[in-house]
Amino acid sequence: MPLTNAYRDFLCQATVGQTVTPFNSANAYLGVGDGTAAFAVTQTDLQGTNKVRKPMDAGYPTLSGNQITFRATFGGADANFAWNEWGVFNAATGGVMLNRKVESLGTKASGSTWVLTVTITLTV
């Protein structure tokens, strides 16, 4: 899965010691939306009309070797629409979007709780 240009720039800034907001338990969010526009590396947010970001569940994100796992829970009143896209962010609003994936995950109904888990493997 390709990363965004914003995340590429984030990695460059972190590499040379510039201050960046990490994708850690205090700052990482998973976002879902109803957008269906194709992914483009220049995007900085989800593309749908309806979109919601949720913070990490306790203990997330995790790191194992070159795999990072993010997990967030969307409760009964959260994100009740068709989940057609998702992304990883380092802020509740704005911030850096690490990636965006366009795929239909179904339509979440009011009252249901869904857990979204994203595992990203970085390779060269």
Side-chain angles (χ1 to χ4, degrees):
M1 162 186 340
L3 305 176
T4 64
N5 286 347
Y7 188 66
R8 175 204 61 201
D9 297 347
F10 168 93
L11 289 175
C12 291
Q13 292 163 357
T15 299
V16 299
Q18 291 184 7
T19 302
V20 294
T21 301
F23 286 79
N24 61 15
S25 61
N27 302 306
Y29 288 78
L30 290 179
V32 296
D34 60 2
T36 57
F39 171 77
V41 295
T42 56
Q43 293 166 343
T44 58
D45 198 2
L46 298 173
Q47 301 299 295
T49 302
N50 296 297
K51 48 192 169 187
V52 172
R53 295 184 192 182
K54 296 297 287 185
M56 292 293 96
D57 289 346
Y60 286 87
T62 62
L63 176 63
S64 177
N66 63 333
Q67 286 191 329
I68 307 166
T69 302
F70 301 90
R71 189 179 85 184
T73 299
F74 294 77
D78 302 319
N80 296 316
F81 48 77
W83 288 21
N84 293 326
E85 60 179 338
W86 57 265
V88 179
F89 300 86
N90 69 347
T93 60
V96 173
M97 181 170 69
L98 187 154
N99 65 338
R100 176 176 170 262
K101 176 70 174 174
V102 180
E103 68 177 325
S104 176
L105 299 176
T107 299
K108 184 176 171 298
S110 181
S112 64
T113 297
W114 286 15
V115 176
L116 179 60
T117 303
V118 173
T119 300
I120 296 174
T121 304
L122 297 176
T123 59
V124 288

